[in-house]
Amino acid sequence: MRTIRVETSAATILLTEAPEPKVRDRQTGEIAKDAVSGEALMTLGVVYIEDGESSLIKVTVPEGGVSEGLNLGAPVSLPGLVARPWESVFNGQQRHGIAFRAAAVTPAAFPAAMGATA
């Protein structure tokens, strides 16, 4: 399925859930791996704020792309962020959504405009 690049330069992205291993199979506890590199995958939660609107999203990153120094509530950068639409049938019901994936998650700074006072 096609991936769509997400332009993040005008957005503020705040970490809301610390990175944790992405579970592929909840019954066995198997950790998801990247299909190409075989590297373990991690998921994290962020709030994505742009143009006065916000969305809570889950993002998958390779384990090696998780930087040190990440703090909940702090701004982060998600280089290489892409969105991929998905569909599946689960228990006879059609489900769909958007999966987000980035090459890494790194600490970032608050935009200067956020700290300015009028």
Side-chain angles (χ1 to χ4, degrees):
M1 209 168 266
R2 180 155 172 78
T3 59
I4 303 161
R5 291 176 210 243
V6 179
E7 174 57 49
T8 61
S9 63
T12 299
I13 305 169
L14 305 175
L15 186 65
T16 59
E17 295 178 30
E20 59 184 39
K22 182 174 184 172
V23 178
R24 180 171 190 251
D25 185 332
R26 291 184 183 175
Q27 291 182 352
T28 65
E30 179 185 0
I31 302 300
K33 306 270 186 195
D34 181 89
V36 176
S37 70
E39 186 174 8
L41 297 174
M42 307 290 282
T43 60
L44 54 109
V46 299
V47 62
Y48 184 96
I49 307 166
E50 187 175 16
D51 295 331
E53 295 185 19
S54 64
S55 298
L56 290 169
I57 62 172
K58 292 274 193 179
V59 180
T60 298
V61 297
E63 187 174 34
V66 177
S67 295
E68 294 290 324
L70 298 174
N71 295 307
L72 292 180
V76 293
S77 175
L78 296 169
L81 182 64
V82 294
R84 186 177 67 237
W86 60 268
E87 286 185 7
S88 68
V89 176
F90 183 73
N91 287 338
Q93 293 187 348
Q94 184 82 16
R95 298 180 63 184
H96 62 278
I98 300 172
F100 293 92
R101 180 143 178 191
V105 55
T106 61
F110 280 107
M114 285 187 76
T117 56

